[in-house]
């Protein structure tokens, strides 16, 4: 019985409001032929605040890939440990009881992965397995939950730590002036999140089933162009419409469990933007309020990539509205176009 426990979330101290973003766009791109469209799209994201690991003036300078890689390593080592310790405390486990660490990040690269440093730094056993995931983008949060579930299914007594470290501001490219790139500059934020999947015991979501679905021939709709200056984010204008083909995949996974995807008690999905949530409400025939946790993440933090689904889950814990046996759907969406989906029931632990 794999249980997804309460996540720990940390956002950096430097805050950028939507008003700040709009002013910056008008100042930096005053001669852009599609500036009015960009400003309108940023306003419609619903993102009111975002958190960055550096002041905005440093982000805008772009000192080069070498310097950004140093910042990524320095900031991840400074910010991840506290979040990991909190996640372990909330799962009522110690580091030595973790059997696998799944580390997800699409905004920086290290080899060895940060998992090796964490094992040495925080007292995990040397036998702890490592699973870094770098190329699933925003879907990686869902993929991490699913791989943790798979591991605990194979090893029922095991415990898995999931860490999502996303510093999206390190991917800002001042020379990328396409509408998709400029919209992304007003959408993404930085965050670190961690959670534990317990093989036995724990309060949270008892993971029942998972699945993955890739929309054929959409691999160039969300991508990175990896150049000497770093990661250049490419976003196709067709991406917001992808919920129409993905909604049937969500329904199909639910049907495998004999559940109706349109009649569940909670929904935790990646908040890539407001249209994704609006379309899911429409295609799954669920009320707008069903995605309140994901909408709150988008409004307060922006798109924090793989950490979104963990932050939405933490908000559900904080609301304390779930009862034993409540059924729910989780989903992360990212490059591919890929959906990572999971089904689970709420358990307080006392119901075992």
């Amino acid at each position: 019985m794999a249980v997804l426990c309460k996540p720990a979330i940390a956002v950096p101290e430097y805050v950028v409001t939507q008003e700040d973003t709009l002013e910056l766009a008008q100042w930096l791109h005053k001669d852009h032929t599609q500036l009015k469209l960009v400003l309108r799209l940023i306003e419609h994201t619903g993102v009111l605040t975002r958190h960055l690991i550096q002041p905005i003036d440093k982000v805008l300078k772009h000192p080069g890939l070498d310097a950004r890689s140093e910042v990524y390593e320095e900031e991840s080592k400074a910010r991840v440990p506290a979040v990991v310790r909190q996640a372990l405390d909330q799962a009522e486990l110690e580091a030595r009881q973790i059997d696998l660490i799944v580390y997800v990040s699409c905004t920086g690269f290290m080899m060895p992965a940060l998992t090796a440093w964490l094992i040495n730094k925080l007292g995990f056993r040397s036998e702890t397995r490592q699973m870094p995931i770098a190329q699933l983008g925003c879907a990686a949060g869902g993929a991490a939950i699913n791989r943790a579930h798979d591991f605990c299914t194979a090893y029922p007594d095991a415990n898995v730590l999931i860490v999502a470290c996303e510093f999206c501001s390190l991917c800002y490219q001042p020379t990328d002036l396409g509408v998709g790139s400029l919209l992304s500059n007003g959408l993404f934020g930085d965050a670190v999140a961690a959670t534990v999947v317990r093989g036995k015991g724990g309060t949270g979501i008892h993971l029942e089933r998972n699945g993955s679905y890739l929309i054929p021939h959409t691999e160039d709709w969300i991508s990175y162009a990896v150049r000497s200056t770093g990661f250049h984010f490419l976003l196709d204008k067709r991406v917001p419409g992808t919920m129409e083909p993905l909604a049937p995949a969500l329904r199909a996974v639910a049907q495998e469990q004999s559940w109706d995807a349109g009649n569940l008690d909670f929904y935790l999905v990646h908040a890539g933007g407001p249209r994704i949530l609006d379309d899911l409400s429409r295609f799954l025939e669920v009320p707008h309020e069903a995605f309140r946790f994901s909408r709150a993440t988008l409004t307060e933090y922006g798109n924090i990539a793989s950490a979104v689904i963990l932050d939405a889950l933490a908000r559900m814990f904080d609301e304390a509205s779930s009862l034993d046996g409540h059924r729910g759907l989780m989903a992360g969406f990212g490059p591919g176009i890929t959906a990572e989906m999971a089904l689970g029931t709420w358990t307080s632990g006392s119901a075992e």
Side-chain angles (χ1 to χ4, degrees):
M1 178 176 174
V3 173
L4 178 60
C5 300
K6 182 178 182 179
I9 313 294
V11 291
E13 59 273 27
Y14 299 104
V15 179
V16 176
T17 66
Q18 186 183 84
E19 185 179 60
D20 296 332
T21 301
L22 293 171
E23 289 178 358
L24 281 169
Q26 290 174 306
W27 172 57
L28 293 170
H29 309 294
K30 57 182 178 295
D31 297 325
H32 197 287
T33 57
Q34 294 181 288
L35 179 59
K36 288 184 178 179
L37 171 62
V38 170
L39 297 177
R40 186 167 69 252
L41 291 173
I42 292 174
E43 287 178 331
H44 289 167
T45 62
V47 178
L48 299 185
T49 53
R50 292 176 294 146
H51 295 251
L52 311 178
I53 58 171
Q54 300 179 108
I56 189 63
D57 58 328
K58 282 193 174 183
V59 173
L60 295 175
K61 287 179 181 177
H62 190 352
L65 180 57
D66 290 356
R68 281 188 167 177
S69 295
E70 291 176 4
V71 171
Y72 177 86
E73 180 171 352
E74 179 182 332
E75 293 292 335
S76 60
K77 289 180 176 179
R79 298 177 188 272
V80 167
V83 178
V84 167
R85 292 189 183 100
Q86 184 182 348
L88 290 170
D89 287 345
Q90 291 173 174
E92 299 182 318
L93 293 177
E94 297 178 2
R96 60 182 176 81
Q97 295 174 280
I98 295 297
D99 302 285
L100 166 69
I101 301 174
V102 183
Y103 179 83
V104 297
S105 179
C106 63
T107 52
F109 180 81
M110 293 171 58
M111 192 169 73
L114 193 71
T115 47
W117 181 83
L118 287 171
I119 289 170
N120 288 316
K121 182 72 173 179
L122 299 185
F124 295 94
R125 303 187 329 272
S126 294
E127 296 81 9
T128 306
R129 294 168 174 87
Q130 305 172 62
M131 184 185 292
I133 300 176
Q135 292 161 292
L136 282 176
C138 297
I145 292 170
N146 291 346
R147 300 297 75 79
H149 181 199
D150 294 344
F151 190 83
C152 289
T153 300
Y155 305 98
D157 294 327
N159 300 303
V160 181
L161 171 70
I162 296 170
V163 181
C165 179
E166 300 291 13
F167 301 146
C168 301
S169 61
L170 294 180
C171 298
Y172 169 71
Q173 297 290 347
T175 59
D176 291 352
L177 302 178
V179 172
S181 295
L182 295 181
L183 171 61
S184 299
N185 295 341
L187 181 62
F188 286 92
D190 299 344
V192 176
T195 189
V196 171
V197 174
R198 289 184 53 146
K200 288 186 177 179
T203 294
I205 298 176
H206 172 211
L207 298 170
E208 306 272 4
R209 180 183 295 271
N210 67 62
S212 181
Y213 183 81
L214 183 142
I215 304 175
H217 311 301
T218 57
E219 64 268 26
D220 58 346
W221 289 19
I222 301 175
S223 64
Y224 275 160
V226 183
R227 301 171 183 158
S228 59
T229 47
F231 302 145
H232 292 253
F233 184 64
L234 302 176
L235 181 68
D236 192 279
K237 63 182 180 181
R238 293 171 287 185
V239 169
T242 51
M243 290 306 102
E244 184 170 6
L246 286 180
L250 297 176
R251 287 192 177 277
V253 168
Q255 287 170 358
E256 291 174 2
Q257 193 70 12
S258 298
W259 292 3
D260 177 1
N263 186 29
L264 299 176
D265 300 296
F266 61 85
Y267 297 84
L268 303 167
V269 302
H270 174 72
R275 182 176 169 185
I276 286 176
L277 301 175
D278 292 343
D279 281 358
L280 272 182
S281 295
R282 180 158 55 97
F283 293 123
L284 293 182
E285 299 178 7
V286 298
H288 183 277
E289 180 70 6
F291 298 107
R292 61 190 179 280
F293 306 116
S294 300
R295 292 185 191 278
T297 298
L298 185 64
T299 298
E300 296 177 24
Y301 296 157
N303 185 337
I304 49 175
S306 65
V308 166
I309 195 169
L310 300 182
D311 184 70
L313 173 59
R315 292 172 187 273
M316 190 176 83
F317 266 91
D318 290 339
E319 186 181 86
S321 58
S322 294
L323 302 175
D324 283 317
H326 273 189
R327 301 177 303 174
L329 169 70
M330 295 175 284
F333 311 115
I337 299 286
T338 301
E340 286 285 339
M341 304 162 287
L343 302 175
T345 54
W346 182 263
T347 176
S348 64
S350 61
E352 295 176 32

